[in-house]
Amino acid sequence: MQLQAFINCELTLSYTNPNDKARRPRDSIHFVSGNHSWLHDDSQLWQQQIVLSDEIFELIKLTAVPISAKAVEEFSNSRKLDILNYFLYQNYNLYLKKINYSFQIEPLYELFGGGIPTLNEFRRIFNKILAELKELVPLEITATDKYSYLMVPNEAALLKQHKRRKTNEVKDQLVIINEDYKDKLKQKYSDLDVESACVYVSKRSQSGQIRHPYAYLRDVLKNPSWYQRERVNFITNVHKLQYREYQNLPEEQRKINARFFKDLISRTHIYSVPVEIQPMVEQLKHPDRVVIKGLPGFDYCCYIVWAYLHHKVTEFGAISAEHKLVKFLQITCK
Protein backbone atom coordinates (compact mmCIF):
# COMPACT_ATOMS: atom_id res chain seq x y z
CA MET A 1 0.00 0.00 0.00
CA GLN A 2 2.91 2.36 0.75
CA LEU A 3 4.51 1.68 -2.64
CA GLN A 4 1.20 2.20 -4.43
CA ALA A 5 0.70 5.50 -2.57
CA PHE A 6 4.24 6.55 -3.54
CA ILE A 7 3.65 5.79 -7.23
CA ASN A 8 0.39 7.78 -7.24
CA CYS A 9 1.77 10.65 -5.16
CA GLU A 10 1.85 14.11 -6.76
CA LEU A 11 4.24 16.74 -5.42
CA THR A 12 3.51 20.48 -5.56
CA LEU A 13 6.14 22.99 -4.44
CA SER A 14 5.93 26.75 -4.02
CA TYR A 15 8.36 29.22 -2.46
CA THR A 16 7.94 32.57 -0.74
CA ASN A 17 11.30 33.70 -2.15
CA PRO A 18 11.86 32.05 -5.56
CA ASN A 19 15.18 33.71 -6.38
CA ASP A 20 17.08 30.94 -8.10
CA LYS A 21 16.52 28.06 -10.53
CA ALA A 22 16.28 25.53 -7.71
CA ARG A 23 13.24 27.37 -6.33
CA ARG A 24 11.12 27.19 -9.47
CA PRO A 25 7.56 26.23 -8.41
CA ARG A 26 6.37 22.73 -9.31
CA ASP A 27 2.74 21.75 -9.78
CA SER A 28 1.55 18.15 -9.39
CA ILE A 29 4.72 16.35 -10.49
CA HIS A 30 5.19 12.58 -10.04
CA PHE A 31 8.21 10.86 -8.56
CA VAL A 32 8.38 8.25 -11.32
CA SER A 33 7.62 8.12 -15.02
CA GLY A 34 5.52 5.46 -16.73
CA ASN A 35 3.80 2.39 -15.32
CA HIS A 36 5.40 1.10 -12.11
CA SER A 37 2.47 -0.95 -10.83
CA TRP A 38 4.82 -3.96 -10.66
CA LEU A 39 6.18 -2.44 -7.43
CA HIS A 40 2.95 -3.21 -5.59
CA ASP A 41 1.28 -5.85 -7.79
CA ASP A 42 2.71 -9.30 -6.98
CA SER A 43 1.14 -10.80 -10.11
CA GLN A 44 3.52 -8.79 -12.33
CA LEU A 45 7.13 -9.53 -13.17
CA TRP A 46 9.66 -7.63 -11.05
CA GLN A 47 11.62 -5.08 -13.08
CA GLN A 48 15.28 -4.11 -12.83
CA GLN A 49 14.93 -0.35 -12.57
CA ILE A 50 12.69 2.55 -11.57
CA VAL A 51 12.48 5.46 -14.01
CA LEU A 52 12.35 8.85 -12.32
CA SER A 53 10.18 11.52 -13.90
CA ASP A 54 12.02 14.31 -15.71
CA GLU A 55 10.64 16.86 -13.24
CA ILE A 56 11.80 15.04 -10.11
CA PHE A 57 15.21 14.32 -11.68
CA GLU A 58 15.67 18.02 -12.44
CA LEU A 59 14.62 18.86 -8.88
CA ILE A 60 17.15 16.39 -7.45
CA LYS A 61 19.96 17.87 -9.53
CA LEU A 62 19.13 21.44 -8.54
CA THR A 63 18.63 20.77 -4.81
CA ALA A 64 21.11 17.97 -4.11
CA VAL A 65 22.16 17.71 -0.45
CA PRO A 66 25.73 16.54 0.38
CA ILE A 67 26.01 13.38 2.47
CA SER A 68 28.88 11.82 4.39
CA ALA A 69 30.64 9.10 2.38
CA LYS A 70 32.25 7.85 5.59
CA ALA A 71 28.85 7.48 7.24
CA VAL A 72 27.54 5.48 4.28
CA GLU A 73 30.41 3.04 4.78
CA GLU A 74 30.13 2.93 8.59
CA PHE A 75 26.37 2.64 9.09
CA SER A 76 24.01 -0.04 7.85
CA ASN A 77 21.08 1.39 9.84
CA SER A 78 19.09 3.73 7.58
CA ARG A 79 17.56 5.69 10.48
CA LYS A 80 21.01 6.41 11.89
CA LEU A 81 22.30 7.48 8.48
CA ASP A 82 19.30 9.75 7.87
CA ILE A 83 19.72 11.45 11.27
CA LEU A 84 23.44 12.02 10.73
CA ASN A 85 23.05 13.50 7.25
CA TYR A 86 20.19 15.68 8.49
CA PHE A 87 22.27 17.18 11.29
CA LEU A 88 25.36 17.54 9.11
CA TYR A 89 23.29 19.63 6.72
CA GLN A 90 21.79 21.64 9.60
CA ASN A 91 25.30 22.25 10.94
CA TYR A 92 26.29 23.58 7.52
CA ASN A 93 23.29 25.95 7.32
CA LEU A 94 23.71 27.22 10.89
CA TYR A 95 27.46 27.67 10.40
CA LEU A 96 26.82 29.95 7.41
CA LYS A 97 24.33 32.02 9.43
CA LYS A 98 26.50 32.00 12.58
CA ILE A 99 23.56 31.08 14.83
CA ASN A 100 22.61 28.28 17.24
CA TYR A 101 19.31 26.42 17.01
CA SER A 102 17.13 24.39 19.36
CA PHE A 103 15.51 21.22 17.94
CA GLN A 104 12.35 19.87 19.56
CA ILE A 105 11.87 16.13 19.93
CA GLU A 106 8.32 16.04 18.48
CA PRO A 107 9.26 17.33 14.97
CA LEU A 108 12.26 14.97 15.02
CA TYR A 109 9.90 12.11 15.88
CA GLU A 110 7.74 13.04 12.88
CA LEU A 111 10.81 13.00 10.64
CA PHE A 112 12.64 9.91 11.89
CA GLY A 113 10.21 7.99 14.10
CA GLY A 114 8.65 5.70 11.51
CA GLY A 115 7.86 2.32 13.09
CA ILE A 116 8.49 3.52 16.65
CA PRO A 117 5.18 3.44 18.59
CA THR A 118 5.69 6.22 21.17
CA LEU A 119 7.53 9.50 21.57
CA ASN A 120 9.30 8.32 24.73
CA GLU A 121 10.59 5.20 22.95
CA PHE A 122 11.86 7.37 20.10
CA ARG A 123 13.60 9.72 22.56
CA ARG A 124 15.47 6.75 24.07
CA ILE A 125 16.54 5.49 20.60
CA PHE A 126 17.42 9.00 19.43
CA ASN A 127 19.71 9.64 22.42
CA LYS A 128 21.49 6.35 21.77
CA ILE A 129 21.97 7.19 18.05
CA LEU A 130 23.17 10.68 18.94
CA ALA A 131 25.87 9.26 21.20
CA GLU A 132 27.06 6.95 18.40
CA LEU A 133 27.11 9.79 15.88
CA LYS A 134 29.31 11.94 18.09
CA GLU A 135 31.93 9.19 18.05
CA LEU A 136 32.12 9.53 14.26
CA VAL A 137 31.55 13.28 13.72
CA PRO A 138 32.18 16.11 16.23
CA LEU A 139 28.61 17.45 16.12
CA GLU A 140 27.89 19.76 19.04
CA ILE A 141 24.34 18.75 20.02
CA THR A 142 23.35 18.67 23.66
CA ALA A 143 20.06 18.01 25.44
CA THR A 144 18.87 21.19 27.20
CA ASP A 145 15.87 19.45 28.74
CA LYS A 146 13.85 16.28 28.30
CA TYR A 147 12.45 17.28 24.88
CA SER A 148 14.90 19.85 23.46
CA TYR A 149 18.36 19.67 21.86
CA LEU A 150 20.66 22.64 21.20
CA MET A 151 22.98 22.59 18.18
CA VAL A 152 26.04 24.85 18.15
CA PRO A 153 27.53 24.78 14.64
CA ASN A 154 31.24 24.16 14.29
CA GLU A 155 33.72 24.03 11.45
CA ALA A 156 35.09 20.60 12.44
CA ALA A 157 31.76 18.94 11.55
CA LEU A 158 31.52 20.47 8.08
CA LEU A 159 31.66 17.98 5.23
CA LYS A 160 34.78 18.25 3.10
CA GLN A 161 33.93 19.29 -0.44
CA HIS A 162 35.87 18.40 -3.55
CA LYS A 163 37.43 21.36 -5.29
CA ARG A 164 35.31 22.53 -8.19
CA ARG A 165 36.88 23.81 -11.36
CA LYS A 166 36.11 27.47 -11.83
CA THR A 167 33.50 27.87 -14.54
CA ASN A 168 35.42 30.77 -16.09
CA GLU A 169 38.52 28.62 -16.57
CA VAL A 170 38.71 27.85 -20.29
CA LYS A 171 40.38 24.52 -21.13
CA ASP A 172 39.01 24.09 -24.63
CA GLN A 173 39.78 27.12 -26.77
CA LEU A 174 36.61 26.48 -28.77
CA VAL A 175 34.60 27.21 -25.63
CA ILE A 176 35.05 30.93 -25.18
CA ILE A 177 31.94 31.71 -23.11
CA ASN A 178 31.92 30.46 -19.50
CA GLU A 179 28.92 28.67 -17.99
CA ASP A 180 28.11 31.34 -15.41
CA TYR A 181 27.68 33.94 -18.14
CA LYS A 182 25.53 31.55 -20.16
CA ASP A 183 23.24 31.06 -17.15
CA LYS A 184 22.74 34.81 -16.90
CA LEU A 185 21.84 35.04 -20.59
CA LYS A 186 19.39 32.13 -20.24
CA GLN A 187 17.32 34.25 -17.87
CA LYS A 188 16.42 36.37 -20.90
CA TYR A 189 16.88 34.03 -23.87
CA SER A 190 16.05 30.34 -24.41
CA ASP A 191 18.67 27.63 -23.90
CA LEU A 192 18.61 26.86 -27.62
CA ASP A 193 19.27 30.47 -28.58
CA VAL A 194 22.15 30.90 -26.14
CA GLU A 195 23.90 27.66 -27.09
CA SER A 196 23.44 28.26 -30.81
CA ALA A 197 24.70 31.83 -30.55
CA CYS A 198 27.74 30.61 -28.59
CA VAL A 199 28.60 28.19 -31.40
CA TYR A 200 28.30 31.03 -33.92
CA VAL A 201 30.53 33.32 -31.85
CA SER A 202 33.08 30.51 -31.33
CA LYS A 203 33.39 29.98 -35.09
CA ARG A 204 33.86 33.68 -35.72
CA SER A 205 36.36 33.95 -32.89
CA GLN A 206 38.55 31.17 -34.29
CA SER A 207 39.03 33.16 -37.47
CA GLY A 208 40.27 36.12 -35.43
CA GLN A 209 37.35 38.40 -36.26
CA ILE A 210 36.11 38.91 -32.67
CA ARG A 211 37.89 41.18 -30.20
CA HIS A 212 35.29 41.15 -27.42
CA PRO A 213 33.36 37.82 -27.50
CA TYR A 214 31.01 38.65 -24.62
CA ALA A 215 29.86 41.94 -26.07
CA TYR A 216 29.58 40.38 -29.51
CA LEU A 217 27.49 37.51 -28.11
CA ARG A 218 24.97 40.00 -26.71
CA ASP A 219 24.68 41.61 -30.15
CA VAL A 220 24.29 38.21 -31.84
CA LEU A 221 21.42 37.24 -29.55
CA LYS A 222 19.59 40.42 -30.57
CA ASN A 223 19.86 39.29 -34.22
CA PRO A 224 18.66 35.66 -34.44
CA SER A 225 19.06 35.55 -38.21
CA TRP A 226 22.85 35.62 -37.75
CA TYR A 227 22.99 32.25 -35.99
CA GLN A 228 20.00 30.62 -37.71
CA ARG A 229 22.13 27.91 -39.36
CA GLU A 230 23.76 26.98 -36.02
CA ARG A 231 20.35 26.95 -34.38
CA VAL A 232 18.89 24.57 -36.98
CA ASN A 233 21.89 22.22 -36.61
CA PHE A 234 21.65 22.39 -32.83
CA ILE A 235 17.95 21.49 -32.87
CA THR A 236 18.60 18.63 -35.30
CA ASN A 237 21.27 17.18 -33.01
CA VAL A 238 19.04 17.56 -29.95
CA HIS A 239 16.27 15.63 -31.70
CA LYS A 240 18.70 12.85 -32.63
CA LEU A 241 19.71 12.48 -28.98
CA GLN A 242 16.14 12.69 -27.73
CA TYR A 243 14.90 10.17 -30.30
CA ARG A 244 17.66 7.77 -29.23
CA GLU A 245 16.56 8.26 -25.61
CA TYR A 246 12.97 7.48 -26.62
CA GLN A 247 14.00 4.32 -28.47
CA ASN A 248 15.87 3.13 -25.37
CA LEU A 249 12.78 3.38 -23.18
CA PRO A 250 11.24 0.09 -21.97
CA GLU A 251 8.89 -1.36 -24.58
CA GLU A 252 5.91 -1.12 -22.22
CA GLN A 253 6.40 2.65 -21.84
CA ARG A 254 6.52 3.14 -25.59
CA LYS A 255 3.36 1.06 -25.97
CA ILE A 256 1.56 3.23 -23.41
CA ASN A 257 2.70 6.34 -25.26
CA ALA A 258 1.50 4.92 -28.60
CA ARG A 259 -1.91 4.01 -27.15
CA PHE A 260 -2.27 7.54 -25.78
CA PHE A 261 -1.49 8.98 -29.22
CA LYS A 262 -3.96 6.65 -30.97
CA ASP A 263 -6.69 7.54 -28.48
CA LEU A 264 -5.95 11.23 -28.97
CA ILE A 265 -6.31 10.88 -32.75
CA SER A 266 -9.52 8.83 -32.56
CA ARG A 267 -11.36 11.25 -30.26
CA THR A 268 -10.30 14.40 -32.17
CA HIS A 269 -12.76 15.53 -34.84
CA ILE A 270 -11.10 16.86 -37.98
CA TYR A 271 -13.14 20.06 -38.00
CA SER A 272 -12.37 20.81 -34.34
CA VAL A 273 -8.82 21.90 -35.21
CA PRO A 274 -7.60 24.89 -37.28
CA VAL A 275 -7.86 24.58 -41.06
CA GLU A 276 -4.09 24.47 -41.61
CA ILE A 277 -3.67 21.25 -39.62
CA GLN A 278 -6.88 19.50 -40.70
CA PRO A 279 -5.13 17.60 -43.56
CA MET A 280 -2.54 16.29 -41.10
CA VAL A 281 -5.25 15.09 -38.69
CA GLU A 282 -7.01 13.36 -41.61
CA GLN A 283 -3.72 11.71 -42.57
CA LEU A 284 -3.26 10.46 -38.98
CA LYS A 285 -6.80 9.07 -38.93
CA HIS A 286 -6.33 7.35 -42.28
CA PRO A 287 -2.64 6.37 -42.58
CA ASP A 288 -3.39 4.24 -45.68
CA ARG A 289 -4.23 7.41 -47.64
CA VAL A 290 -1.77 10.03 -48.89
CA VAL A 291 -3.41 13.26 -47.80
CA ILE A 292 -0.21 15.22 -47.19
CA LYS A 293 3.42 14.52 -47.99
CA GLY A 294 6.32 14.71 -45.55
CA LEU A 295 4.58 13.38 -42.44
CA PRO A 296 7.10 11.19 -40.57
CA GLY A 297 6.37 7.58 -39.68
CA PHE A 298 4.13 6.61 -36.78
CA ASP A 299 7.06 5.75 -34.49
CA TYR A 300 8.65 9.18 -34.96
CA CYS A 301 5.26 10.83 -34.40
CA CYS A 302 5.04 8.88 -31.13
CA TYR A 303 8.48 10.22 -30.23
CA ILE A 304 7.24 13.80 -30.77
CA VAL A 305 4.24 13.08 -28.52
CA TRP A 306 6.56 11.71 -25.83
CA ALA A 307 8.90 14.72 -26.14
CA TYR A 308 5.97 17.13 -25.87
CA LEU A 309 4.46 15.41 -22.84
CA HIS A 310 7.85 15.34 -21.06
CA HIS A 311 8.65 19.01 -21.77
CA LYS A 312 11.62 18.29 -24.01
CA VAL A 313 12.64 20.19 -27.15
CA THR A 314 9.75 20.13 -29.64
CA GLU A 315 10.85 22.89 -31.97
CA PHE A 316 10.80 22.23 -35.71
CA GLY A 317 10.75 24.27 -38.89
CA ALA A 318 7.66 26.49 -39.14
CA ILE A 319 6.39 24.83 -42.33
CA SER A 320 7.28 21.24 -41.42
CA ALA A 321 4.78 18.45 -40.71
CA GLU A 322 6.44 17.97 -37.31
CA HIS A 323 5.63 21.59 -36.40
CA LYS A 324 1.97 21.00 -37.32
CA LEU A 325 1.94 17.87 -35.14
CA VAL A 326 3.25 19.89 -32.20
CA LYS A 327 0.55 22.48 -32.81
CA PHE A 328 -2.02 19.68 -32.84
CA LEU A 329 -0.73 18.49 -29.43
CA GLN A 330 -0.84 22.01 -28.03
CA ILE A 331 -4.53 22.21 -28.95
CA THR A 332 -5.63 18.72 -27.89
CA CYS A 333 -3.51 18.15 -24.76
CA LYS A 334 -4.66 21.14 -22.73
Side-chain angles (χ1 to χ4, degrees):
M1 290 174 65
Q2 288 179 323
L3 287 169
Q4 187 171 6
F6 170 71
I7 296 302
N8 296 329
C9 180
E10 293 184 349
L11 180 66
T12 297
L13 296 174
S14 60
Y15 301 90
T16 56
N17 184 25
N19 286 331
D20 55 52
K21 291 173 70 175
R23 290 174 174 259
R24 181 173 66 80
R26 267 85 175 172
D27 183 45
S28 300
I29 65 174
H30 286 88
F31 285 94
V32 295
S33 175
N35 181 15
H36 286 74
S37 58
W38 53 269
L39 282 167
H40 54 80
D41 184 354
D42 291 338
S43 66
Q44 296 187 41
L45 184 66
W46 186 261
Q47 303 296 320
Q48 296 295 321
Q49 62 183 11
I50 296 174
V51 182
L52 296 176
S53 68
D54 292 337
E55 296 87 354
I56 207 71
F57 183 62
E58 179 193 16
L59 185 62
I60 290 171
K61 289 193 295 182
L62 293 175
T63 59
V65 175
I67 64 171
S68 168
K70 185 177 182 181
V72 173
E73 295 176 0
E74 293 271 343
F75 299 148
S76 58
N77 184 295
S78 59
R79 194 193 315 273
K80 192 184 300 183
L81 186 61
D82 287 344
I83 291 174
L84 174 61
N85 285 320
Y86 175 78
F87 281 113
L88 284 173
Y89 190 60
Q90 296 306 323
N91 180 76
Y92 167 76
N93 287 329
L94 296 174
Y95 183 80
L96 291 180
K97 298 173 183 176
K98 305 299 180 185
I99 60 174
N100 303 334
Y101 189 78
S102 180
F103 294 89
Q104 303 301 309
I105 192 67
E106 289 187 5
L108 293 173
Y109 178 44
E110 293 175 1
L111 282 173
F112 306 112
I116 300 176
T118 65
L119 180 63
N120 284 333
E121 177 69 10
F122 172 75
R123 184 170 61 85
R124 184 186 65 78
I125 294 173
F126 179 76
N127 288 335
K128 181 181 178 182
I129 290 176
L130 207 55
E132 294 177 8
L133 297 186
K134 288 182 179 181
E135 295 178 2
L136 181 70
V137 180
L139 288 167
E140 293 186 17
I141 308 175
T142 54
T144 54
D145 57 42
K146 192 175 181 180
Y147 298 108
S148 301
Y149 298 83
L150 179 68
M151 169 174 269
V152 179
N154 68 92
E155 186 175 2
L158 292 176
L159 289 174
K160 292 182 180 179
Q161 298 184 1
H162 296 288
K163 291 184 178 179
R164 176 174 173 262
R165 181 175 69 84
K166 294 181 179 179
T167 52
N168 60 355
E169 180 183 342
V170 178
K171 289 193 173 181
D172 184 351
Q173 293 303 315
L174 290 174
V175 183
I176 60 171
I177 308 298
N178 71 56
E179 296 300 322
D180 287 343
Y181 191 69
K182 284 184 185 180
D183 287 340
K184 290 180 181 178
L185 292 173
K186 287 174 183 178
Q187 295 175 9
K188 185 177 180 181
Y189 301 96
S190 72
D191 290 8
L192 283 173
D193 284 323
V194 173
E195 297 295 344
S196 303
C198 284
V199 173
Y200 176 83
V201 173
S202 295
K203 290 179 180 178
R204 299 273 293 179
S205 180
Q206 295 307 304
S207 62
Q209 301 178 43
I210 308 298
R211 292 180 59 191
H212 304 291
Y214 284 66
Y216 185 63
L217 176 60
R218 292 195 297 269
D219 291 339
V220 169
L221 283 167
K222 294 176 184 177
N223 297 274
S225 61
W226 293 3
Y227 60 88
Q228 185 61 27
R229 179 182 299 175
E230 285 74 17
R231 195 174 191 279
V232 170
N233 291 337
F234 198 87
I235 291 173
T236 301
N237 290 330
V238 168
H239 280 300
K240 287 180 180 178
L241 293 173
Q242 288 184 174
Y243 185 44
R244 190 181 306 161
E245 180 185 354
Y246 170 75
Q247 290 177 315
N248 290 332
L249 289 175
E251 184 179 0
E252 182 61 28
Q253 287 190 37
R254 287 186 279 114
K255 285 182 178 178
I256 292 172
N257 185 70
R259 285 198 296 269
F260 171 82
F261 186 35
K262 289 178 179 177
D263 291 342
L264 192 64
I265 295 169
S266 63
R267 67 172 181 261
T268 302
H269 195 278
I270 293 176
Y271 298 106
S272 66
V273 298
V275 175
E276 62 270 21
I277 62 175
Q278 287 179 6
M280 187 204 65
V281 176
E282 185 178 354
Q283 176 78 70
L284 291 172
K285 284 181 172 291
H286 307 285
D288 52 324
R289 303 179 190 172
V290 180
V291 181
I292 60 170
K293 293 183 179 180
L295 186 67
F298 182 74
D299 183 63
Y300 197 79
C301 288
C302 287
Y303 149 68
I304 296 173
V305 174
W306 169 81
Y308 178 83
L309 294 176
H310 289 80
H311 308 290
K312 296 183 178 291
V313 174
T314 53
E315 189 167 334
F316 295 93
I319 60 173
S320 66
E322 291 92 336
H323 177 75
K324 292 179 180 178
L325 178 55
V326 172
K327 190 173 181 181
F328 166 73
L329 295 172
Q330 290 171 342
I331 295 170
T332 55
C333 292
K334 291 182 180 179

